[in-house]
Structures are given as structure tokens and as C-alpha cells.
Amino acid sequence: MANNFDWTRSFTVDFSLVTGLSGTAESSKRYLSKVAGMFYDDAAATELLKGGDPLIYEFYELGVPELPGDIAFGTSITYPGKVGREFYMTKGHFHTVLETAEVYFCLSGEGGMIFENPEGDVSFEEFKPGVSVYVPQRYAHRSVNTGSSPLVTFFAFRGDAGHDYGTIETKGYRKLVVEKASGGYELIDNPKWKAE
Amino acid sequence: MANNFDWTRSFTVDFSLVTGLSGTAESSKRYLSKVAGMFYDDAAATELLKGGDPLIYEFYELGVPELPGDIAFGTSITYPGKVGREFYMTKGHFHTVLETAEVYFCLSGEGGMIFENPEGDVSFEEFKPGVSVYVPQRYAHRSVNTGSSPLVTFFAFRGDAGHDYGTIETKGYRKLVVEKASGGYELIDNPKWKAE
């Protein structure tokens, strides 16, 4: 499968409302070995990798033209699981065109999205099926699965927005989402976070 | 309920995955009496209105800032029914900023979307649950419910795209979607369509 579409005419892409997976388009997959450094507990990540290389999340890049008039869209699937106390999550990103927003619509599963702008303002919104979450301009955003089934969302953003992973990879997020000893989740300061 | 959101910070809006309706936001409703002229069979519309004023469709306008960096989103619900042979549908629109795209994601029901650009190129895509339909730049687009339950879609487009209903109201669409005598649907030329 290759994701080749003519964006100057109408077309369709199918996605399962339950799994988020497409029968016709090809996803991008992120396995633990490639994203282990984003979790704070290095020892737990190393231990997990001894038993295999779990798929942490996958999403669809459909090849939208990088034009301000086009709209990128697809699904994102974050699998259930933890690295130590920390829930599986996406790498998260700023948009390269920082002043562009995005919307996520939750189809299945539960969890949340954590937000952070360059000035350090942080917020968190909960996902459950039917909840749309607005990503304002200028906010990095990351999906976190706090449940026991895949967290499936449909997303849309401007075609030229781009993804800036580098800033987040270097500095990390200020806050992490971990399991509470009593069950459920809580946000804690990221011990790996670097101020500059 | 009023749709007042601060688009500079994250927020959520809930929508039912089955009905498309929100428990927290207010929809805009289009009853037959306000949109009867878009159906080709005036006698059938008049007859229907004698029995009441059915809700043809509703959708959410959440008050997005009209900025190119923001993303408008919400659900659109087109109810099942016919005016004569013609299936219930939305009024449809061009974007005022013609070079802006949109995406629709079908959550429930069945039907399709009909497309037409200013040069007269027409296309049609089928909706069923899980199908995303891409609206390319420069294409007017209208949802049509060819099934027996509400057609529910989630949509997203650029905040400043705007809606140009006037062109379509004056000229109509070149093609209409009607019930076939043998069941199912077919596209026919719009007898009301005006070339200029």
C-alpha cells in the first residue's frame, strides 16, 4: 500500500471506528526501541525491551500537499501499556508553523492530551469516545493512553503546519502522566525535563 | 447553552458517536420551511409542509476565530427522508476563501457528498461509518442522506474559510441525488439548475 492521493479532487480513506486502522492506507509505526528515550524511567524501558519491542503508537500520514489551503487528516492509535509507571504515549510535537491549530476527535479508548506552549503554560484534556479536543495555536500536544484498550483519535490540521519533534525530543515535556498507586492517573513533573 | 470557547487554550466539546449531538454545545437547525427551495420538486415540498416542518439537518458552529491558523470543527447531522424522490441533504456551500479544503469523517448512517467546482467539475463520494471524505480546495460540497438513519459526520476546516451559500442558492447544484425506482440512489441533472 502506498498513500498516494490526488488532493485536487475528492477522495475517501476508510478507518475502523474501533481500531482506527485503515484497510487501504498505510500507517507509520513507532516501536518502543525508537522512542524509549521519551519515557522517564530508562531502567524500565531497558527491561521491557528485553522481552520484545512493543508497538507504542501508530498514525496515518496521507501525504497532504504542504499548502495552507489543504487539510491533513487521519487517525492516531496509542496502545495501552506502561513503561514503569508512565503510560504509553505519542512523541508529541509542536507545529513548525507554530501559529496553527489542530483538532482531535476520540473514537475509542480513554486517555488524554497534554499541552505545553513555549512559555511553559501546560494543560491537560481527557479523551473518551465522542470527545473532541482542540489544540490551540502554539501548543505542543501529546496523546496518552490511560486505559486498557487502544486510544483511537481522528485528527485534522492545516496542510503546511508541519511537525517539530526536535524541540520536544531535546527538552522533553514539563509534565508526565503516570499511574497513581491508588489507580487512575496523575500528572507529575518530568525528572528529565531541561529548562534550556 | 452558548458556544463560547477560548480558542487560545485547549478545550473539549462532546458529541455522541451515534446521534452526533452535543450535550454541551448548541446546534444550528435547518427546517424544511427555510430550505424548501433547494429541492427540485416544489409541489412535493409544499405537500410535506402541510403536515409540519421537518428538521432536515443540523450542525455545530462553535464560533472559531476567523483566522487562518485556527481550525473550525463540529458535527453535521442530516436526517433521513425525501422531498419527492430527492433525499434530504444540506444546503451545501463553497468556502468564501475558495482555496481552502475540508475533511468529513462519517460516524454513523449512510449517504454521500456531492462536489462541484466553479468550472463545473462534479464528483460524488459515498459515506459509511469510518469513511473520511476529503473536500479539495475550490469545491462546493453537500451531504446527502440516502439511508434510513441520521447521517452523522465530524468535519474540520480552516477558521477563516467562511461559507459562501449565495452562489449555490442562486444557481443550485448541477446534479441531484434521488431515489431510484429499483431502490438505492442515482445522480440526475438538476432541472432547476441555472447556467448563469
Side-chain angles (χ1 to χ4, degrees):
Chain A
M1 289 188 292
N3 298 339
N4 292 321
F5 302 100
D6 175 1
W7 297 72
T8 68
R9 296 215 73 217
S10 63
F11 65 88
T12 64
V13 184
D14 70 292
F15 297 101
S16 161
L17 291 170
V18 177
T19 66
L21 298 173
S22 174
T24 52
E26 190 171 10
S27 73
S28 301
K29 296 177 176 65
R30 295 294 179 265
Y31 292 92
L32 180 58
S33 59
K34 297 289 184 189
V35 294
M38 73 182 180
F39 294 99
Y40 83 92
D41 189 339
D42 293 323
T46 302
E47 192 59 33
L48 259 180
L49 286 168
K50 287 181 186 165
D53 192 6
L55 180 59
I56 306 297
Y57 68 99
E58 58 188 305
F59 60 102
Y60 289 85
E61 302 174 289
L62 300 176
V64 65
E66 294 184 4
L67 296 172
D70 287 320
I71 297 283
F73 67 95
T75 55
S76 167
I77 304 117
T78 306
Y79 290 99
K82 296 193 304 291
V83 176
R85 289 178 62 206
E86 193 174 7
F87 290 106
Y88 282 9
M89 59 189 179
T90 63
K91 194 184 282 188
H93 59 273
F94 284 100
H95 290 158
T96 310
V97 182
L98 193 60
E99 269 77 25
T100 53
E102 184 162 350
V103 64
Y104 285 76
F105 183 64
C106 182
L107 304 174
S108 183
E110 56 187 298
M113 182 160 264
I114 189 156
F115 299 90
E116 179 178 321
N117 75 1
E119 292 75 33
D121 183 50
V122 170
S123 63
F124 181 83
E125 305 290 348
E126 278 197 352
F127 278 129
K128 60 181 182 180
V131 168
S132 53
V133 171
Y134 193 68
V135 181
Q137 299 184 18
R138 309 189 73 259
Y139 278 79
H141 42 286
R142 151 181 284 175
S143 298
V144 184
N145 186 337
T146 61
S148 54
S149 63
L151 171 64
V152 180
T153 55
F154 180 83
F155 61 80
F157 59 94
R158 224 171 75 179
D160 65 335
H163 289 69
D164 174 6
Y165 293 104
T167 311
I168 288 295
E169 278 188 340
T170 312
K171 300 184 50 167
Y173 275 72
R174 284 169 167 82
K175 295 283 182 185
L176 298 177
V177 185
V178 300
E179 190 175 43
K180 268 204 302 202
S182 57
Y185 68 85
E186 63 182 335
L187 272 64
I188 61 166
D189 289 334
N190 179 2
K192 278 186 170 177
W193 186 72
K194 300 183 190 74
E196 74 278 343
Chain B
M1 290 187 292
N3 299 337
N4 292 321
F5 302 100
D6 175 1
W7 296 72
T8 67
R9 295 215 73 216
S10 63
F11 65 88
T12 64
V13 184
D14 70 292
F15 298 101
S16 161
L17 291 170
V18 177
T19 67
L21 298 173
S22 175
T24 52
E26 191 171 10
S27 72
S28 300
K29 297 177 175 64
R30 296 293 178 263
Y31 292 92
L32 179 59
S33 59
K34 298 290 183 187
V35 294
M38 72 182 181
F39 294 100
Y40 82 92
D41 188 339
D42 292 323
T46 301
E47 192 59 32
L48 258 181
L49 286 168
K50 287 180 185 166
D53 193 4
L55 180 59
I56 306 297
Y57 67 100
E58 58 188 305
F59 59 102
Y60 289 85
E61 301 173 288
L62 300 177
V64 65
E66 294 184 4
L67 296 172
D70 287 321
I71 297 284
F73 67 96
T75 55
S76 168
I77 303 117
T78 307
Y79 290 99
K82 294 194 305 292
V83 176
R85 289 177 64 206
E86 193 174 6
F87 290 106
Y88 281 8
M89 60 189 179
T90 63
K91 193 183 280 187
H93 58 273
F94 284 100
H95 289 159
T96 311
V97 182
L98 192 61
E99 269 77 26
T100 53
E102 183 163 351
V103 64
Y104 284 76
F105 183 64
C106 183
L107 304 173
S108 183
E110 55 187 299
M113 182 159 264
I114 188 155
F115 299 89
E116 178 177 321
N117 75 0
E119 292 74 33
D121 183 50
V122 170
S123 63
F124 181 82
E125 304 290 349
E126 278 196 353
F127 278 129
K128 60 181 181 180
V131 168
S132 52
V133 172
Y134 193 69
V135 181
Q137 299 184 18
R138 310 188 73 258
Y139 277 79
H141 42 285
R142 151 181 283 176
S143 298
V144 184
N145 186 338
T146 61
S148 54
S149 63
L151 172 63
V152 180
T153 55
F154 180 83
F155 61 80
F157 59 95
R158 224 170 75 179
D160 65 334
H163 289 69
D164 174 7
Y165 293 103
T167 311
I168 288 295
E169 279 188 340
T170 312
K171 300 183 51 167
Y173 276 72
R174 284 170 166 82
K175 296 282 182 184
L176 298 177
V177 185
V178 301
E179 189 175 44
K180 268 203 303 201
S182 57
Y185 68 87
E186 62 183 334
L187 272 64
I188 61 166
D189 289 334
N190 179 1
K192 278 186 169 177
W193 185 72
K194 300 183 190 74
E196 75 282 340

